[in-house]
Amino acid sequence: MKKIQLSTSITVFESIDELPTEIQKLMVRAIAIRKTAYAPYSNFHVGTAFLLENGETVTGNNQENAAYPSGMCAERVAVWNASSQFPDVKILKIAITASSENNPVTEPVAPCGACRQTLSEYELKQEDPIEIYFMGQSGNIIKTDALHDLLPLAFDKSFL
Ligand code: THU
């Protein structure tokens, strides 16, 4: 028996002003689309913007449903939008932001497990890492250099 330590790293930015200009613009797009999220049940709004290798930006936000499991997270709305419109174009960078009408979100909000698994599929497919920046409605921004950093030991096609 042996115990193996897995490690991951994050970068923390104290404000949007500290981000590279390209990411500031991406985060502004994520904030804008967050405001049109359809989230009447949770009042928790998530917006995301994806920068693609061809220079296009694809956005998404969460879409809820009275039959709760029929709703969808912002990240999966956006990644499927990107993959359907631009199937062979790599995703370079993702900006994510969340806000709540109930409690202000002042900490970075990382993608949920199902969104990590979904995004992981596309990172493996394109064989290039996807940078992810995530934040609340204020406060720090966290960056991971790759989806892999958010989902070590991911399930992938090699098991099939
Ligand atoms: N949500 C996202 O859009 N992304 C996540 O990664 C976590 C949760 C949404 C789903 C639901 O509409 C609301 O936030 C509350 O869970």
Side-chain angles (χ1 to χ4, degrees):
M1 193 272 269
K2 62 178 173 182
K3 196 171 218 172
I4 299 172
Q5 188 86 34
L6 300 177
S7 69
T8 192
S9 70
I10 61 169
T11 308
V12 181
F13 298 85
E14 286 184 2
S15 77
I16 289 190
D17 300 333
E18 271 190 9
L19 296 171
T21 311
E22 171 185 65
I23 305 302
Q24 289 184 24
K25 288 183 185 161
L26 204 60
M27 195 57 87
V28 166
R29 294 287 301 272
I31 292 167
I33 199 76
R34 186 187 81 202
K35 292 178 179 162
T36 57
Y38 178 61
Y41 304 106
S42 70
N43 295 318
F44 191 81
H45 297 230
V46 184
T48 183
F50 286 36
L51 178 64
L52 308 187
E53 200 173 32
N54 63 359
E56 295 278 348
T57 302
V58 174
T59 59
N61 56 26
N62 52 325
Q63 298 292 321
E64 297 188 347
N65 193 288
Y68 291 176
S70 301
M72 187 46 64
C73 292
E75 295 89 335
R76 276 175 284 168
V77 168
V79 76
W80 291 330
N81 187 8
S83 183
S84 52
Q85 286 192 71
F86 304 104
D88 297 317
V89 181
K90 291 182 182 183
I91 300 163
L92 303 181
K93 295 157 203 275
I94 298 178
I96 305 167
T97 172
S99 68
S100 170
E101 289 170 32
N102 306 332
N103 303 301
V105 184
T106 57
E107 300 291 327
V109 176
C112 76
C115 287
R116 294 180 203 198
Q117 179 63 37
T118 304
L119 292 168
S120 168
E121 178 76 20
Y122 297 94
E123 182 168 276
L124 292 167
K125 175 184 172 231
Q126 69 182 33
E127 298 179 335
D128 264 325
I130 304 173
E131 283 181 18
I132 306 182
Y133 296 78
F134 47 94
M135 64 178 292
Q137 60 201 82
S138 62
N140 291 346
I141 298 118
I142 290 180
K143 174 196 176 193
T144 56
D145 296 331
L147 199 280
H148 176 76
D149 288 324
L150 283 174
L151 190 66
L153 299 180
F155 183 84
D156 64 45
K157 65 182 180 184
S158 69
F159 296 111
L160 300 176

